[in-house]
């Protein structure tokens, strides 16, 4: 297993990841910055929320993208990775929040109902923004309900992540 955490890996919670957004100081500029995954727990009884259900909501401000080549799924004790059949990368639609106090710039990933490839493992996953839709998302050119949709089936390969048994050796 690769030791690098991906955006949907639970080991990544609270860690910093790259996001792509319009520069709030100069909207003509698109920038890539590091941001913490999850909302400021100070304002939600100590809980940091990492996801937002997209259905029925409007996101007119602070849109961003999280570059991804896969996302991880936990199902009971098992862990899986989902990646594109074609090997291509994609973006996860997200909303960024400005820093507050000692909490840095942060983001939360928007979710949709799981597609047919993922549904047998979990009921939701991150909203997939295709590369051709990047400017539509960042520039509010297309309504949310047109972009934040469940992708069709047969685009993800799901593989179980097997942990390697720890082998110990003793020098005599």
């Amino acid at each position: 297993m690769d030791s690098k955490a991906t955006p949907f890996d639970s080991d990544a919670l609270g860690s910093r990841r790259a996001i792509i957004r319009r520069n709030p100081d100069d909207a003509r500029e698109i920038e890539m910055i590091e941001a913490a995954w999850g909302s400021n727990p100070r304002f939600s009884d100590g809980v940091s929320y990492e996801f937002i259900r997209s259905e029925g909501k409007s996101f007119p401000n602070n849109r961003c993208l999280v570059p991804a080549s896969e996302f991880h799924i936990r199902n009971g004790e098992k862990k899986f990775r989902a990646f594109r059949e074609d090997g291509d990368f994609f973006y996860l639609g997200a909303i960024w929040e400005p820093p507050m106090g000692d909490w840095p710039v942060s983001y939360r990933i928007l979710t949709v109902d799981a597609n047919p490839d993922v549904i047998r493992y979990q009921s939701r996953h991150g909203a997939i923004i295709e590369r051709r839709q990047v400017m539509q998302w960042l520039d509010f050119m297309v309504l949310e309900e047109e972009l934040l949709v469940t992708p069709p089936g047969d685009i993800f390969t799901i593989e179980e992540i097997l942990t390697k048994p720890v082998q110990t050796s003793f020098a005599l």
Side-chain angles (χ1 to χ4, degrees):
M1 178 178 118
D2 188 336
S3 64
K4 293 191 305 187
T6 64
F8 262 50
D9 187 354
S10 62
D11 297 336
L13 297 179
S15 63
R16 298 171 74 80
R17 297 279 172 245
I19 64 168
I20 298 167
R21 67 177 187 175
R22 284 276 177 200
N23 181 339
D25 298 323
D26 182 356
R28 296 171 299 183
E29 181 181 306
I30 294 174
E31 63 182 1
M32 180 181 283
I33 65 165
E34 282 189 349
W37 186 23
S39 62
N40 189 334
R42 179 175 167 191
F43 299 102
S44 52
D45 295 327
V47 177
S48 179
Y49 292 96
E50 292 86 21
F51 302 101
I52 302 172
R53 284 180 164 265
S54 65
E55 292 84 1
K57 294 187 177 95
S58 177
F59 304 100
N61 300 309
N62 296 1
R63 290 181 177 186
C64 66
L65 297 162
V66 180
S69 58
E70 65 182 46
F71 57 89
H72 288 188
I73 301 166
R74 280 199 193 271
N75 187 319
E77 294 294 315
K78 293 186 177 186
K79 191 172 177 182
F80 302 86
R81 66 190 272 271
F83 57 94
R84 295 281 305 248
E85 285 273 341
D86 60 12
D88 211 354
F89 71 90
F90 51 90
Y91 298 93
L92 299 169
I95 300 299
W96 67 272
E97 297 169 354
M100 286 189 253
D102 61 351
W103 193 254
V105 173
S106 60
Y107 68 94
R108 291 185 279 162
I109 295 172
L110 304 173
T111 65
V112 297
D113 288 333
N115 85 333
D117 305 329
V118 176
I119 193 72
R120 55 186 267 230
Y121 302 94
Q122 65 186 28
S123 62
R124 301 189 65 76
H125 61 70
I128 305 298
I129 303 292
E130 300 291 349
R131 293 185 332 185
R132 70 182 180 282
Q133 299 170 316
V134 164
M135 297 314 297
Q136 294 173 342
W137 176 249
L138 291 177
D139 290 342
F140 313 99
M141 296 167 47
V142 176
L143 296 174
E144 287 90 347
E145 59 263 18
E146 293 180 35
L147 289 174
L148 303 176
V149 298
T150 299
D154 297 326
I155 65 166
F156 291 117
T157 296
I158 313 291
E159 289 181 352
E160 185 173 357
I161 299 171
L162 301 173
T163 56
K164 296 178 183 168
V166 177
Q167 294 188 4
T168 57
S169 60
F170 298 94
L172 297 177

